[in-house]
Amino acid sequence: GLVYYELPLANSNSGGGYMCIDLRTGQEKWYQNIPGQTFGQILDYNDPNQHGANVGLLWLKSGTNLNATDAWTGKTLFNVTNVSSGTMVYGPNGEILIYNLDSTTRTLACWNSTVVLKQNQQKTGNINGSTSYSWNTTVTNLPSGSWSIERVFYNDVMVLTQGSLGTRSSSSQPIVSTGGANITVLSTKENTKGTIVWTKHFDPPTGDINRQIGAIDPINRILVFRDKETLNLWGYNLDNGNFVWGPTQL
């Protein structure tokens, strides 16, 4: 395997270039005087010319741009402009998927890195990613107001939040909101994408407790609330929002 990390510069923990080390030998594979990268990608890419997971990329996100670097050599390859904002997950073949929800128009869209790469086979220079979408759909009956994407699971569900379960502005401050939070779960499955699975209101805890969404388990279908001060955990069914268990202490 390979490990990648940014080197320090003077008194700063960054700015000294980027290094790739072979984990088996401990030897330097390459060094480039480039900024620290945001995330990596191994893409199982299939087209008439190639098949298999042989595309290794490092990506640097800057605003709406994604700059691609070859993970094997450190060479800068190309830059994708006009990339969608939103919540990023990896698809089944390692593709970069970015889910964007517009609460005003109730539009849900999925930006897909492979769309723009297939449209630009040369993969050099600046590539316009403004049309690199797999799909977009209208979320019918989404309750009004501004919604935030909490978590996305490919071909499964997306968890949206609105309001606060009792999050403090700092550890010494009282809870910011006593109004509670609304949670809506949408389907991201191919045939039902954008469909509301369930939506519910959750009151904040009593006693000035900082409650937040913790782990979400897509295998056992559990949405977990975590109370910071008491270390209590509360489990809710991911498929219907019903209470399942708790409190359980860490």
Side-chain angles (χ1 to χ4, degrees):
L2 303 173
V3 62
Y4 303 87
Y5 58 92
E6 187 174 10
L7 296 174
L9 179 65
N11 290 329
S12 174
N13 61 2
S14 62
Y18 210 67
M19 181 82 77
C20 175
I21 299 293
D22 188 315
L23 283 175
R24 183 176 63 85
T25 65
Q27 299 299 308
E28 176 185 325
K29 188 170 179 67
W30 55 259
Y31 166 85
Q32 295 286 355
N33 187 24
I34 57 176
Q37 304 297 287
T38 309
F39 57 88
Q41 179 188 25
I42 297 177
L43 179 63
D44 184 2
Y45 191 81
N46 296 285
D47 68 11
N49 297 317
Q50 66 184 62
H51 300 275
N54 64 342
V55 179
L57 297 173
L58 300 173
W59 292 94
L60 173 63
K61 180 173 175 55
S62 177
T64 60
N65 295 334
L66 280 177
N67 186 266
T69 295
D70 181 12
W72 309 114
T73 65
K75 293 178 61 177
T76 298
L77 298 176
F78 56 89
N79 183 55
V80 182
T81 62
N82 299 308
V83 175
S84 172
S85 60
T87 300
M88 192 197 93
V89 299
Y90 292 105
N93 298 313
E95 62 268 46
I96 299 166
L97 304 176
I98 300 177
Y99 292 84
N100 178 275
L101 175 69
D102 188 322
S103 298
T104 302
T105 62
R106 293 175 169 79
T107 301
L108 178 65
C110 180
W111 189 91
N112 189 330
S113 63
T114 57
V115 175
V116 69
L117 296 183
K118 287 180 178 179
Q119 291 172 347
N120 298 270
Q121 294 294 323
Q122 298 302 315
K123 302 180 183 64
T124 58
N126 289 320
I127 301 172
N128 187 355
S130 62
T131 61
S132 186
Y133 288 86
S134 294
W135 52 262
N136 67 78
T137 187
T138 299
V139 183
T140 305
N141 298 325
L142 180 68
S144 61
S146 179
W147 291 88
S148 299
I149 298 176
E150 173 69 28
R151 215 78 51 91
V152 178
F153 299 95
Y154 173 77
N155 199 33
D156 191 352
V157 295
M158 168 187 295
V159 179
L160 308 179
T161 59
Q162 183 186 71
S164 171
L165 287 167
T167 302
R168 298 168 180 265
S169 57
S170 70
S171 60
S172 62
Q173 299 296 318
I175 56 176
V176 174
S177 172
T178 57
N182 298 318
I183 296 179
T184 293
V185 172
L186 303 180
S187 172
T188 58
K189 295 178 181 178
E190 179 60 30
N191 295 327
T192 58
K193 52 184 176 285
T195 301
I196 294 178
V197 180
W198 58 266
T199 183
K200 286 189 175 183
H201 176 79
F202 293 86
D203 292 325
T206 59
D208 198 22
I209 297 296
N210 182 355
R211 177 170 293 176
Q212 297 174 317
I213 294 177
I216 299 178
D217 184 348
I219 305 301
N220 296 299
R221 315 305 292 173
I222 292 293
L223 166 67
V224 178
F225 291 168
R226 180 183 67 238
D227 294 348
K228 179 179 178 181
E229 290 76 14
T230 61
L231 301 182
N232 282 336
L233 302 178
W234 309 78
Y236 292 82
N237 190 306
L238 184 59
D239 294 319
N240 55 35
N242 292 340
F243 176 77
V244 179
W245 50 257
T248 298
Q249 273 202 325
L250 287 172

